[in-house]
Amino acid sequence: MLTPVPQKSRRASGFTLIEIMVVIAIIGLLLTVVAPNVWNKLREAKVTTTKVKMNVVKNAVDDYRRHYSKVPDSLQVLLEDSEKNMGEPYLEKHDNLLDAWENEFRFSKISSNKYAIISLGADGVEGGENDDRDLSTLDDSMPSNAK
């Protein structure tokens, strides 16, 4: 006589709906806490990138001013080959004239030796706060060049 073999209870492998909902709730909670911080850091990084790019353009304008004893009439001049700069342009690419939001820098010639390079911020409109605020080489927040 054969003895019956007890059958193992077969539980389907996988996750229950409740387990999946708990995991999704935890992920959502983490995103709610972490995402704003990451977003703010990305916005701050664009402001920092713009300041660095403005400083690069400022150095090119200063080089131009040393060679020609005047400030250029526009930033586009910096992209042209210059015999006083060993036949090279002061800036290699047009991208150097764009801020982190892909807007062109504004150039304000104040006098023959004074100028301002301006970024209108993320919104591309004058004024604003946070990453929408205007940045200028005349601001105290900009790094200054050693003279």
Side-chain angles (χ1 to χ4, degrees):
M1 180 149 116
L2 295 173
T3 59
V5 178
Q7 292 196 359
K8 295 181 180 179
S9 63
R10 289 188 167 204
R11 182 171 178 214
S13 61
F15 300 104
T16 66
L17 180 60
I18 291 178
E19 290 171 330
I20 292 173
M21 288 174 55
V22 168
V23 169
I24 290 173
I26 291 171
I27 291 172
L29 184 63
L30 286 174
L31 285 176
T32 307
V33 173
V34 173
N37 293 331
V38 171
W39 181 252
N40 287 338
K41 291 298 179 189
L42 289 173
R43 290 169 57 175
E44 289 175 20
K46 286 200 173 206
V47 170
T48 302
T49 300
T50 297
K51 287 180 179 180
V52 169
K53 289 181 89 174
M54 288 173 77
N55 204 37
V56 168
V57 174
K58 184 177 187 305
N59 289 336
V61 171
D62 289 342
D63 287 345
Y64 183 96
R65 183 176 58 189
R66 277 191 284 280
H67 289 146
Y68 291 97
S69 300
K70 67 175 187 165
V71 173
D73 294 325
S74 75
L75 294 178
Q76 300 299 324
V77 173
L78 302 174
L79 297 170
E80 299 169 3
D81 293 341
S82 169
E83 62 185 48
K84 292 191 177 187
N85 194 36
M86 298 186 291
E88 297 290 325
Y90 290 94
L91 292 173
E92 291 293 322
K93 301 181 284 185
H94 183 264
D95 289 352
N96 292 327
L97 299 179
L98 302 177
D99 62 17
W101 302 279
E102 301 295 320
N103 299 319
E104 277 200 25
F105 289 123
R106 298 231 175 144
F107 183 71
S108 176
K109 185 174 177 180
I110 299 167
S111 68
S112 62
N113 286 320
K114 192 169 182 178
Y115 62 92
I117 301 167
I118 302 162
S119 168
L120 297 179
D123 61 358
V125 179
E126 287 186 28
E129 296 177 358
N130 300 322
D131 60 339
D132 289 337
R133 77 179 187 278
D134 299 347
L135 301 171
S136 171
T137 53
L138 296 178
D139 291 345
D140 293 333
S141 63
M142 287 295 298
S144 60
N145 293 336
K147 303 231 174 174

